[in-house]
């Protein structure tokens, strides 16, 4: 299992804990982190943000120049996002940012919220494992070809209506189940 003290040494958490929901979210995050397996991807430098939709959009508009893009939080049904960068040459340079939208979480169950958190962690973990599995062939490629191949391996696409997108989401949920969170993923799927 992940050592939570170690996890929080390299993962910055942003959450308004002056409100009861913020305290609850931190407690649920702690529960998820304590149950994660001790795998390399969970030692990656990261940030987990619990924000309102407006604050998340403002953060990403300011931060987009560092990542080259910003996620779109305008769809009301979008309640989480994970952006990651894997350094192919130096794993210590890899990074991720998870954004959880808090606007409607007061009405959600604890299992739903934990499912949402672990789903977003799996959005980073799943491609990391695909990278590891295919590293011998990927390291020989040029950066653009490598990214195209990684998108193929992970079924990544920006079209939420496509079969490829649905397949990707299913694979991410399977990763969360592999990590030990089947009950929480089932709650996430039922409440969506």
């Amino acid at each position: 299992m992940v050592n939570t003290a170690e996890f929080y040494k390299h993962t910055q958490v942003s959450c308004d804990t002056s409100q009861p929901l913020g305290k609850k979210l931190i407690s649920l995050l702690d529960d998820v982190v304590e149950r994660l397996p001790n795998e390399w991807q969970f030692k990656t430098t990261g940030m987990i943000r619990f924000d309102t939709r407006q604050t998340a959009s403002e953060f990403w508009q300011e931060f987009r120049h560092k990542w080259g893009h910003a996620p779109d939080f305008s769809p009301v049904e979008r309640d989480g996002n994970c952006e990651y960068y894997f350094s192919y040459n130096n794993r210590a340079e890899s990074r991720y940012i998870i954004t959880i939208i808090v606007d409607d979480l007061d009405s959600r169950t604890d299992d739903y919220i934990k499912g949402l958190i672990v789903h977003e962690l799996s959005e980073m973990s799943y491609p990391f494992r695909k990278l590891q599995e295919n590293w011998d062939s990927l390291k020989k490629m040029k950066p653009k070809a490598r990214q195209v191949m990684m998108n193929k391996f992970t079924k990544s696409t920006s079209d939420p209506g496509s079969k490829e997108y649905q397949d990707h989401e299913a694979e991410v949920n399977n990763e969360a189940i592999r990590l030990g969170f089947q009950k929480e993923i089932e709650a996430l799927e039922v409440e969506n």
Side-chain angles (χ1 to χ4, degrees):
M1 303 316 246
V2 166
N3 179 315
T4 55
E6 286 299 313
F7 181 85
Y8 289 122
K9 282 182 184 175
H10 57 76
T11 302
Q12 177 186 351
V13 177
S14 172
C15 183
D16 179 3
T17 56
S18 68
Q19 302 297 318
L21 177 61
K23 291 175 185 169
K24 175 181 174 179
L25 293 173
I26 293 300
S27 174
L28 296 174
L29 174 62
D30 287 346
D31 183 54
V32 168
V33 170
E34 289 170 2
R35 293 172 50 199
L36 290 171
N38 188 18
E39 296 178 359
W40 193 90
Q41 66 271 31
F42 301 120
K43 297 174 182 156
T44 303
T45 300
M47 178 186 297
I48 300 174
R49 299 181 55 86
F50 294 94
D51 286 329
T52 64
R53 192 170 308 281
Q54 180 178 343
T55 303
S57 295
E58 291 168 0
F59 168 82
W60 276 102
Q61 287 308 311
E62 290 180 25
F63 206 71
R64 75 179 309 139
H65 69 280
K66 290 185 178 182
W67 285 80
H69 67 282
D72 179 12
F73 291 105
S74 62
V76 175
E77 66 278 356
R78 186 171 205 172
D79 50 9
N81 180 72
C82 177
E83 297 290 326
Y84 59 86
Y85 164 75
F86 294 137
S87 174
Y88 295 99
N89 298 319
N90 182 354
R91 290 184 189 161
E93 294 176 1
S94 297
R95 305 273 185 270
Y96 70 91
I97 299 176
I98 291 174
T99 308
I100 304 290
I101 303 300
V102 301
D103 295 359
D104 299 317
L105 291 186
D106 272 328
S107 64
R108 301 295 192 161
T109 66
D110 289 358
D111 281 343
Y112 174 92
I113 295 169
K114 288 190 278 187
L116 175 60
I117 293 167
V118 77
H119 176 89
E120 296 308 331
L121 282 164
S122 296
E123 284 281 3
M124 177 268 298
S125 179
Y126 172 65
F128 177 83
R129 283 191 332 100
K130 287 295 186 184
L131 173 68
Q132 296 302 96
E133 290 169 8
N134 297 286
W135 181 241
D136 288 340
S137 62
L138 289 168
K139 69 181 176 183
K140 299 171 188 170
M141 296 179 181
K142 293 187 178 191
K144 285 186 180 181
R146 189 181 297 146
Q147 187 59 54
V148 167
M149 196 53 109
M150 276 299 293
N151 287 347
K152 182 178 176 183
F153 290 146
T154 61
K155 300 173 177 76
S156 290
T157 180
S158 58
D159 179 7
S162 71
K163 180 179 178 343
E164 188 175 41
Y165 182 87
Q166 298 306 318
D167 290 347
H168 168 79
E169 290 296 304
E171 290 296 327
V172 169
N173 283 341
N174 287 338
E175 174 72 359
I177 291 167
R178 181 191 76 79
L179 296 172
F181 293 88
Q182 182 164 348
K183 177 179 79 162
E184 292 82 357
I185 291 301
E186 288 171 357
L188 180 67
E189 290 175 338
V190 167
E191 289 189 48
N192 265 340

